[in-house]
Amino acid sequence: MFKQLVTAAVTAVLIAGLGACSSGSDLQDEGTDYSVDVDQDGGSVAEEPQPDTATTADTSVFGLRDKVRHVAARTTRATRPHMTRKCSTSTRRVKHTTSTGSGTKRRTRTWYSTEQSKSCKQVRSGTETYRRVVRPEQWCVSLDNLGGDANRDDVWYQVSKTTYDAAIGTDEHARMTLTPTGSGC
C-alpha cells in the first residue's frame, strides 16, 4: 500500500513539473477536437483538427489504471431460411469415333456411350433458429490522468482480452499504456 502511494505521489510531481515546464502556446479546446495556438497577446492564431485517440487503432494511450469492466455478449433467438443442397443427375449420349488407315482403305469406327453428370444447388427448405449477437463481448479499461492531464479522468476504452487480463493483473492507479480497439464502454 505504501509503495502504491509513493508511486502515485512521484507520478503526480512529475506530471505537475512537466505541466509547469510547457510554454502554454498550444492549448486544447475542451469541447472540440481542435488545437488552438495562442499568440503572446492571447488571441488565437490558427485551428487544426486533432486526431481522435480512441478511433486511431495504432495509437497508444497512457494513464493511471482506474477500473476494468467486462461486458458480456448479448444474444437473441432469430430465424433464417434453412438452405439445403439439392442435387440432380442427368445423362447424355456421347458419340465417339476413331479412324484407321488412309485414303481408300480408311475405316471409321463409331460407338456411343452414356455419361452421367451431377449438378447441385442450394434451395430453401423451411426455416431454422439460431443465436444472433445483439451486442458483442467487450473488455474495457478506465484510465485517470489520460495522457498526463490531471483533468481527464474516468476515460473508458475498449481493449483486447489480453490487455484486459494485463490490466486486471496490475494495481489500481498504476501507470498503464494500452492500444484501444474502441472508445467508450
Side-chain angles (χ1 to χ4, degrees):
M1 181 72 176
F2 180 72
K3 186 177 179 181
Q4 293 174 352
L5 291 174
V6 171
T7 305
V10 169
T11 305
V13 169
L14 286 173
I15 291 171
L18 290 174
C21 292
S22 67
S23 66
S25 64
D26 216 14
L27 299 176
Q28 175 90 15
D29 189 8
E30 291 282 324
T32 65
D33 291 333
Y34 289 94
S35 171
V36 179
D37 290 334
V38 178
D39 204 3
Q40 296 295 6
D41 61 352
S44 62
V45 176
E47 291 187 3
E48 61 186 53
Q50 294 290 323
D52 186 10
T53 58
T55 58
T56 310
D58 60 335
T59 304
S60 296
V61 294
F62 68 93
L64 303 179
R65 176 200 172 275
D66 189 19
K67 298 176 185 132
V68 294
R69 180 185 301 160
H70 174 251
V71 180
R74 187 183 315 172
T75 60
T76 186
R77 288 177 52 123
T79 59
R80 63 182 170 207
H82 179 70
M83 304 301 281
T84 58
R85 187 174 175 189
K86 182 179 180 183
C87 298
S88 61
T89 57
S90 61
T91 58
R92 67 182 185 126
R93 192 173 178 201
V94 180
K95 181 179 180 180
H96 305 277
T97 58
T98 59
S99 298
T100 57
S102 64
T104 58
K105 304 239 183 207
R106 186 172 190 90
R107 297 185 69 189
T108 302
R109 180 176 166 246
T110 303
W111 73 96
Y112 295 90
S113 67
T114 304
E115 288 185 357
Q116 293 187 350
S117 63
K118 183 177 181 181
S119 63
C120 298
K121 62 182 178 179
Q122 295 284 337
V123 294
R124 182 176 174 165
S125 175
T127 59
E128 64 184 4
T129 60
Y130 70 103
R131 301 299 296 177
R132 183 171 57 90
V133 177
V134 176
R135 180 187 63 208
E137 188 172 23
Q138 297 174 351
W139 297 276
C140 304
V141 175
S142 172
L143 295 178
D144 287 342
N145 294 344
L146 184 67
D149 185 2
N151 295 326
R152 294 192 65 193
D153 289 341
D154 297 324
V155 180
W156 284 96
Y157 287 107
Q158 294 176 23
V159 295
S160 66
K161 173 125 174 61
T162 55
T163 304
Y164 173 80
D165 291 340
I168 287 180
T170 61
D171 295 329
E172 193 168 324
H173 298 296
R175 181 185 161 101
M176 186 168 189
T177 302
L178 54 92
T179 303
T181 59
S183 63
C185 189

